[in-house]
Amino acid sequence: EPPAWAPGPAQAAALLEEAADLLVLHRDFAAAVERCEAGCDSLGAGPGPGHESFAEVKCSLCVVGIQALAEMNRWREVLSWVLQYYHVPEHLPPKVLELCILLYSKVREPQVMLEAGSSWLRAQANQRLPELGTLLELYLAEVLLPLGLFEGAEELVRGCAGLDSEQQLALLGTVRESRRRWALREETRSPAEEQQEPATETLLGVLSQKLLTMLTLLRRALRSMSNHFYLLPYKKMLLATFLLYLVVVRLDPASPTSLPFIYKLVQLFRQAWAAVLSPIHRPPIRD
C-alpha cells in the first residue's frame, strides 16, 4: 500500500521529484503517473492567488504525467487527464497547453485541441500573459492551418486583444501565406491525380502485353522441350521465369510509378503461369 501523504505544496514537491525519477531513471511510467496524480490530489483546490510555488508544482506534476502517459501510448487520455485538475481549458498553464498541442500534433490528431486551444486563447484572463503570442502562433501552425481552417485562424488573430498591431499583421500574413500554399497545392494536385490513373493503366497495359508475349514464347519453348524439363521443379521454373520477366520489362520496384500496380502484375503473372502449365504433362516414367 502506498504511504498516506500529507496534503500541501511541500509534499506535492516531494512526489514530483519521485515521479521525475520514475520517469527518467527507472522508466516506470505507470508509477510516475500515480505519483503525479497523488501530488495533484494532495494539493486539492489549492490556495488563493499569489501562491506561485503551488502553481509551479501542479504544472510540473502535469508535465511529468503527460510525458509518462505518452510513453505508455496513452496519449488519448492526456487532455482529459489534465482537465480533471484544471477543470476548464482556460485555466491550463501555458506550458501544459503547449505540451498538449505538440503532442496531439505529433500523433496527427490536431483536431483534439481545437476547442481547448481556442477557449484558452480567447479567455480574457490569458490576454495579459506574455506567452499569448507564442501559443497563438503554435496553435495556428500545429492545429488550425494544417486543418485548413483559415477563416477561423484570421478571426482568432483579430480577436486576441493581447496582441499588438505588429503581431497581428505578422500572424495574418502567416495565415494568408498558408492559404496561398494550400490553394496552390490543391490546384497542382488535382490534374496530377486525374492523369495518374490513365497513365498507370497505360503503363500497366504495356507491361502486361510484354508479359503475355514473353509467356507465349515460353509456352512454345516448354512444349518443344517438355521431355527435358519434366525433372525441373515447378517452383524453380516459376522463380526463373519471374526473374526473366523482371529483366525483360526492367521493372524497378523502387520506382514510385511501379508501386500502385505491381500487385496487379503479380496476379496477372500467376494467372498466366497457370495457363502455361495447364496443357503440359510430364511424360510417363518408363521402367
Side-chain angles (χ1 to χ4, degrees):
E1 293 292 330
W5 292 300
Q11 188 60 46
L15 289 170
L16 170 62
E17 183 177 356
E18 186 177 352
D21 289 341
L22 290 168
L23 173 68
V24 179
L25 299 180
H26 304 287
R27 300 186 64 78
D28 190 344
F29 308 123
V33 173
E34 291 178 0
R35 297 301 186 273
C36 293
E37 291 174 343
C40 290
D41 291 338
S42 70
L43 293 173
H51 292 74
E52 296 180 359
S53 60
F54 170 88
E56 290 176 0
V57 171
K58 187 175 182 180
C59 175
S60 299
L61 284 167
C62 287
V63 168
V64 174
I66 290 172
Q67 294 176 349
L69 288 171
E71 291 286 353
M72 293 187 293
N73 201 29
R74 292 169 55 186
W75 51 268
R76 294 178 180 84
E77 306 173 29
V78 164
L79 183 59
S80 59
W81 185 81
V82 296
L83 286 178
Q84 68 180 328
Y85 301 114
Y86 289 98
H87 308 298
V88 292
E90 296 86 337
H91 294 167
L92 291 175
K95 184 64 177 178
V96 171
L97 179 65
E98 177 185 5
L99 194 57
C100 289
I101 292 175
L102 291 173
L103 172 63
Y104 284 103
S105 175
K106 179 69 174 179
V107 297
R108 299 182 179 181
E109 296 287 345
Q111 68 276 3
V112 175
M113 294 302 299
L114 269 174
E115 183 177 352
S118 178
S119 299
W120 194 96
L121 291 166
R122 295 177 186 274
Q124 189 64 33
N126 296 328
Q127 299 300 311
R128 300 185 298 269
L129 296 178
E131 298 89 352
L132 176 67
T134 302
L135 284 176
L136 176 56
E137 184 177 0
L138 179 67
Y139 182 69
L140 293 177
E142 302 294 341
V143 179
L144 293 184
L145 299 185
L147 294 175
L149 303 176
F150 304 109
E151 294 182 1
E154 292 180 352
E155 179 186 355
L156 182 61
V157 171
R158 293 190 176 96
C160 285
L163 300 177
D164 56 35
S165 58
E166 184 177 350
Q167 289 176 311
Q168 284 189 347
L169 289 176
L171 291 175
L172 289 174
T174 300
V175 175
R176 285 193 293 269
E177 177 63 20
S178 180
R179 187 199 292 265
R180 186 190 67 81
R181 290 197 303 266
W182 181 289
L184 181 62
R185 186 166 60 248
E186 291 297 319
E187 291 176 0
T188 56
R189 178 185 301 172
S190 297
E193 290 180 350
E194 292 175 0
Q195 297 175 3
Q196 182 178 2
E197 188 66 23
T200 300
E201 293 298 330
T202 301
L203 184 56
L204 178 60
V206 173
L207 295 178
S208 302
Q209 187 61 40
K210 289 184 178 181
L211 175 61
L212 292 175
T213 302
M214 188 197 69
L215 288 178
T216 301
L217 296 175
L218 179 63
R219 185 173 180 174
R220 294 175 181 174
L222 287 176
R223 282 179 174 177
S224 62
M225 302 177 63
S226 59
N227 290 334
H228 301 281
F229 276 85
Y230 74 92
L231 295 177
L232 184 64
Y234 282 168
K235 290 185 178 180
K236 292 184 178 180
M237 292 175 61
L238 178 64
L239 176 61
T241 307
F242 186 65
L243 292 176
L244 177 63
Y245 163 67
L246 292 179
V247 173
V248 173
V249 179
R250 296 181 182 180
L251 180 63
D252 181 10
S255 174
T257 59
S258 68
L259 296 178
F261 52 83
I262 189 170
Y263 178 72
K264 294 181 180 180
L265 287 178
V266 173
Q267 286 183 321
L268 178 62
F269 177 81
R270 289 176 176 174
Q271 295 172 359
W273 181 249
V276 169
L277 292 181
S278 58
I280 299 177
H281 302 282
R282 295 186 179 187
I285 299 177
R286 300 178 179 177
D287 295 334

